[in-house]
Amino acid sequence: MKKVLVGAAVVAALGVGVYYQQTNQTSAAINLAELDYVPADTVFFASQLTPFPYEQYAKLLPATVLSDEQRGQFSEITEALRQEGDATAVFIAELVSKYEQAMASQSADKIWGFGSELRYLTYAVGLMPVARIELAEPQTFIATLKEAADKAGLNYQEETLANTAYTRFILEAEQGQSLELITSVQGQWLTLTLSSDMITSDDDLALALATKKPANSLAGTGRLQAYAKKYDWDGSSVNFFDNKALVSALVAEKPSRLGTMIDTFIAKAGKEDALDALRTPGCKKDLPAIATKFPAVVWGTSDLEVTNSYANFDADVIFESSDSDLLGTLATLRGFIPQHVTQADAAILSLGYGIDVSKVGSLTNTLWSSFTQAEFECEPLLMAQEQAQGANTMAIAMATGMFAGVKGVSVTINDLELDLTNPHAPDIKEFSGLVTLSADDPMTLINTAKSLVPELAQVTIPSDGSAVSVSELLEMGMEHDLDVKLAVKGNHITLYTGEQAQQQAGALQNQALEANGLLGMTVNLAPLMEIVVAANEASGQELPPELKALAEQNISGSMTTDINGHGIQLSSSSHIRKN
């Protein structure tokens, strides 16, 4: 079975493609006719609802070729699979070889049937994963699968269901049980699904092959439109993982296709009691109630534009929660992240962590009390509750006590140039960077630090924002001296060197210490990878071409993590420019 799972992963990877969105097409995209074939109760849904011009996008990236090392890695994978000796493993090996060939010769069109654009839907019919991909020549994809099967001696059958022809590839057969890759073509849409006689009926297969519409479709629920409206997305890609549906099926809360397939699978596998611990009356009550508070993980794009010279896109991931009390409690942890941390073009690399340290102990105690005092009837939850009751939350309160008042820390690298004359001991030739510590009373923290670090006690740090040099105190011992300064700018302790860092530190003087997030990060890929490539080449280490190519790729991006009324939200913004 492990070999089959590996094969399923490879086949899935071949069909996923590249991720792309377009703006101002929300209604048209979400009204895609193919959505009528997606069951409303699918446990997951991922999509590319608008055509992705991946050829245009690829032209923004530097051309790369497979290195000898990469070719060797592919050879090792295929050889190991062929050593397995059975048809399924050799079939997978042939597909890996085809994948390598498509990469090396840039011939995804001739091998996999790709055109200049791509759309796809992935979802589940019960336990059956389904991938539907719009291709220029979908029959080419199936022809490649058949060629690989012929070389491997893998059996496949041509069959028909509801006037739709499909091909069934027998991936593995053990003790009368089989797992099969099934493919079909309708118009320009290629359909791939995994089937087994342990879980699948003709009705299930008809739904998976999109020859039959479900009684209740995802299109009819308005769920995708609701997500797009709720999170202000453009509608070109709306995705979710349904926690409620999964938990409901596992505990057999109510009849569902997923639950029926799970029951059939464990029964035929001789594991009828595998889920008994979760299907007690208590668990049927408690676990769905918890899932209702955390109904889904959803993700999508709010904006994206691709041109011949650049691509910009914004995306969000939300861990949804309907528990307003819990979200309100978690939100007390939010701290301060400086503005420069989330400005995508401001630095090579910047990371800010916002946290109200004074709230950590009370939050931990609140969450611990809430869980340990909850009235559960589900045995696994009762066992976890009993273990939690023996925990001591006072240690966390004591550990964070001395840092009370801290609201966030950040590290920024604006510029870095290394002297690689001695590659085994590189020196910093040029550097601009900034470290910040934001707090209610920064001078109190400095005085506390002085009591712990005797060397710091010798330094007089003005409270008016004036900077003092601490280079000698740091004892960096570098050939190229850096003038490192320490200053208190409003509520922010800053340690910096370089002109740009000095300006960033000065800008903090008037930034109010407000709770604005949990995490912020920016990165500019090209200058960061230039440093990595130069350092490796100076030491005689050869980097793979794909890593060297990143040093030529003009990509910048920012990411933030925050808590709001919807849940925990991760938002990213990326910018790709043609060199």
Side-chain angles (χ1 to χ4, degrees), residues 26-27 37 49 70 73 149 160 175 188 259 290 309 351 421 430 432 436 447 469 480 546:
T26 303
S27 178
Y37 294 91
L49 299 173
Q70 288 176 308
Q73 291 172 347
T160 301
Q175 300 176 350
Q188 301 304 122
I290 293 174
S309 56
L351 178 65
T421 305
E430 296 289 342
S432 173
T436 71
N447 291 330
S469 178
H480 301 87
E546 64 271 20

Short mmCIF file of all heavy atoms in Angstrom, two decimals, residues 26-27 37 49 70 73 149 160 175 188 259 290 309 351 421 430 432 436 447 469 480 546:
data_model
loop_
_atom_site.label_atom_id
_atom_site.label_comp_id
_atom_site.label_asym_id
_atom_site.label_seq_id
_atom_site.Cartn_x
_atom_site.Cartn_y
_atom_site.Cartn_z
N THR A 26 -14.71 37.85 -10.15
CA THR A 26 -15.27 37.07 -9.05
C THR A 26 -16.51 36.30 -9.46
O THR A 26 -16.59 35.09 -9.32
CB THR A 26 -15.59 37.98 -7.86
OG1 THR A 26 -14.40 38.67 -7.48
CG2 THR A 26 -16.12 37.17 -6.69
N SER A 27 -17.50 37.00 -9.98
CA SER A 27 -18.78 36.36 -10.28
C SER A 27 -18.63 35.29 -11.35
O SER A 27 -19.11 34.17 -11.20
CB SER A 27 -19.80 37.43 -10.72
OG SER A 27 -21.02 36.82 -11.07
N TYR A 37 -20.68 19.87 -10.58
CA TYR A 37 -20.35 18.45 -10.38
C TYR A 37 -19.60 18.20 -9.07
O TYR A 37 -19.27 17.06 -8.77
CB TYR A 37 -19.51 17.95 -11.56
CG TYR A 37 -20.27 17.94 -12.86
CD1 TYR A 37 -20.25 19.05 -13.71
CD2 TYR A 37 -21.04 16.84 -13.24
CE1 TYR A 37 -20.96 19.06 -14.90
CE2 TYR A 37 -21.75 16.84 -14.43
CZ TYR A 37 -21.71 17.95 -15.25
OH TYR A 37 -22.42 17.95 -16.42
N LEU A 49 -9.85 28.92 -10.58
CA LEU A 49 -11.12 29.13 -11.27
C LEU A 49 -11.00 30.01 -12.50
O LEU A 49 -11.91 30.05 -13.33
CB LEU A 49 -12.15 29.72 -10.30
CG LEU A 49 -12.48 28.85 -9.08
CD1 LEU A 49 -13.37 29.61 -8.12
CD2 LEU A 49 -13.13 27.55 -9.50
N GLN A 70 20.78 17.12 -10.20
CA GLN A 70 19.34 16.88 -10.28
C GLN A 70 19.02 15.65 -11.12
O GLN A 70 18.17 14.83 -10.76
CB GLN A 70 18.64 18.10 -10.87
CG GLN A 70 18.58 19.29 -9.93
CD GLN A 70 17.97 20.49 -10.61
OE1 GLN A 70 18.38 20.90 -11.69
NE2 GLN A 70 16.96 21.07 -9.99
N GLN A 73 19.63 12.71 -9.10
CA GLN A 73 18.58 12.46 -8.12
C GLN A 73 17.38 11.78 -8.76
O GLN A 73 16.79 10.85 -8.20
CB GLN A 73 18.17 13.78 -7.46
CG GLN A 73 19.24 14.37 -6.56
CD GLN A 73 18.88 15.76 -6.07
OE1 GLN A 73 17.95 16.40 -6.59
NE2 GLN A 73 19.60 16.25 -5.08
N ALA A 149 2.38 2.85 -18.57
CA ALA A 149 1.82 1.57 -18.15
C ALA A 149 2.29 0.44 -19.05
O ALA A 149 2.61 -0.66 -18.57
CB ALA A 149 0.29 1.66 -18.15
N THR A 160 -16.74 2.10 -19.98
CA THR A 160 -17.70 3.18 -20.22
C THR A 160 -18.69 3.22 -19.06
O THR A 160 -19.15 2.18 -18.58
CB THR A 160 -18.47 2.98 -21.54
OG1 THR A 160 -17.53 2.93 -22.62
CG2 THR A 160 -19.44 4.12 -21.79
N GLN A 175 -4.62 -9.48 -2.14
CA GLN A 175 -5.67 -10.24 -1.46
C GLN A 175 -7.06 -9.85 -1.97
O GLN A 175 -8.00 -9.67 -1.21
CB GLN A 175 -5.58 -10.02 0.05
CG GLN A 175 -4.25 -10.46 0.63
CD GLN A 175 -4.14 -10.17 2.11
OE1 GLN A 175 -4.98 -9.47 2.69
NE2 GLN A 175 -3.11 -10.71 2.74
N GLN A 188 -12.39 19.74 -22.81
CA GLN A 188 -10.99 20.03 -22.51
C GLN A 188 -10.62 19.66 -21.08
O GLN A 188 -9.49 19.88 -20.66
CB GLN A 188 -10.70 21.53 -22.72
CG GLN A 188 -10.97 22.03 -24.13
CD GLN A 188 -10.21 21.25 -25.16
OE1 GLN A 188 -10.79 20.68 -26.08
NE2 GLN A 188 -8.90 21.21 -25.02
N GLY A 259 -18.68 9.27 5.48
CA GLY A 259 -18.84 8.34 6.60
C GLY A 259 -19.07 6.92 6.13
O GLY A 259 -18.51 5.96 6.68
N ILE A 290 -16.99 20.95 19.21
CA ILE A 290 -15.69 21.62 19.08
C ILE A 290 -15.45 22.01 17.62
O ILE A 290 -14.98 23.12 17.34
CB ILE A 290 -14.57 20.70 19.59
CG1 ILE A 290 -14.70 20.49 21.10
CG2 ILE A 290 -13.19 21.28 19.26
CD1 ILE A 290 -13.72 19.48 21.67
N SER A 309 5.85 42.10 -17.69
CA SER A 309 6.99 42.63 -16.95
C SER A 309 6.91 42.40 -15.45
O SER A 309 7.91 42.52 -14.75
CB SER A 309 7.16 44.13 -17.22
OG SER A 309 5.97 44.82 -16.90
N LEU A 351 12.00 40.71 10.20
CA LEU A 351 11.08 39.86 10.95
C LEU A 351 10.67 40.56 12.24
O LEU A 351 11.52 41.03 12.99
CB LEU A 351 11.73 38.52 11.29
CG LEU A 351 10.91 37.52 12.13
CD1 LEU A 351 9.68 37.07 11.35
CD2 LEU A 351 11.76 36.32 12.52
N THR A 421 37.63 37.50 1.46
CA THR A 421 39.05 37.25 1.24
C THR A 421 39.46 35.94 1.89
O THR A 421 40.20 35.13 1.32
CB THR A 421 39.90 38.40 1.78
OG1 THR A 421 39.45 39.63 1.19
CG2 THR A 421 41.37 38.19 1.48
N GLU A 430 30.21 45.75 4.71
CA GLU A 430 29.18 46.77 4.84
C GLU A 430 27.95 46.14 5.46
O GLU A 430 27.60 45.00 5.15
CB GLU A 430 28.82 47.35 3.45
CG GLU A 430 29.94 48.09 2.75
CD GLU A 430 30.26 49.42 3.41
OE1 GLU A 430 29.41 49.92 4.17
OE2 GLU A 430 31.36 49.94 3.16
N SER A 432 23.93 47.32 7.19
CA SER A 432 22.91 48.21 7.75
C SER A 432 21.82 47.33 8.33
O SER A 432 21.23 46.51 7.62
CB SER A 432 22.33 49.13 6.67
OG SER A 432 21.23 49.87 7.21
N THR A 436 14.98 45.97 17.33
CA THR A 436 14.13 46.80 18.19
C THR A 436 13.48 45.95 19.28
O THR A 436 13.22 44.76 19.09
CB THR A 436 13.00 47.49 17.39
OG1 THR A 436 12.03 46.51 16.99
CG2 THR A 436 13.55 48.18 16.16
N ASN A 447 17.38 49.51 32.68
CA ASN A 447 17.96 49.46 34.02
C ASN A 447 18.00 48.03 34.55
O ASN A 447 18.95 47.64 35.25
CB ASN A 447 17.16 50.36 34.97
CG ASN A 447 17.34 51.84 34.65
OD1 ASN A 447 18.39 52.24 34.15
ND2 ASN A 447 16.31 52.63 34.91
N SER A 469 27.15 55.19 21.15
CA SER A 469 27.87 54.10 20.48
C SER A 469 28.16 52.98 21.46
O SER A 469 28.59 53.23 22.59
CB SER A 469 29.18 54.61 19.88
OG SER A 469 29.89 53.55 19.27
N HIS A 480 36.60 45.25 9.46
CA HIS A 480 35.87 46.44 9.05
C HIS A 480 34.94 46.85 10.20
O HIS A 480 33.96 46.18 10.48
CB HIS A 480 35.05 46.16 7.78
CG HIS A 480 35.89 45.71 6.63
ND1 HIS A 480 36.22 44.39 6.43
CD2 HIS A 480 36.48 46.41 5.62
CE1 HIS A 480 36.95 44.27 5.34
NE2 HIS A 480 37.13 45.50 4.84
N GLU A 546 19.24 25.84 -9.68
CA GLU A 546 17.99 26.45 -9.27
C GLU A 546 18.17 27.44 -8.12
O GLU A 546 17.45 28.43 -8.01
CB GLU A 546 16.95 25.38 -8.89
CG GLU A 546 17.30 24.52 -7.69
CD GLU A 546 18.08 23.30 -8.06
OE1 GLU A 546 18.69 23.27 -9.15
OE2 GLU A 546 18.08 22.36 -7.26
#
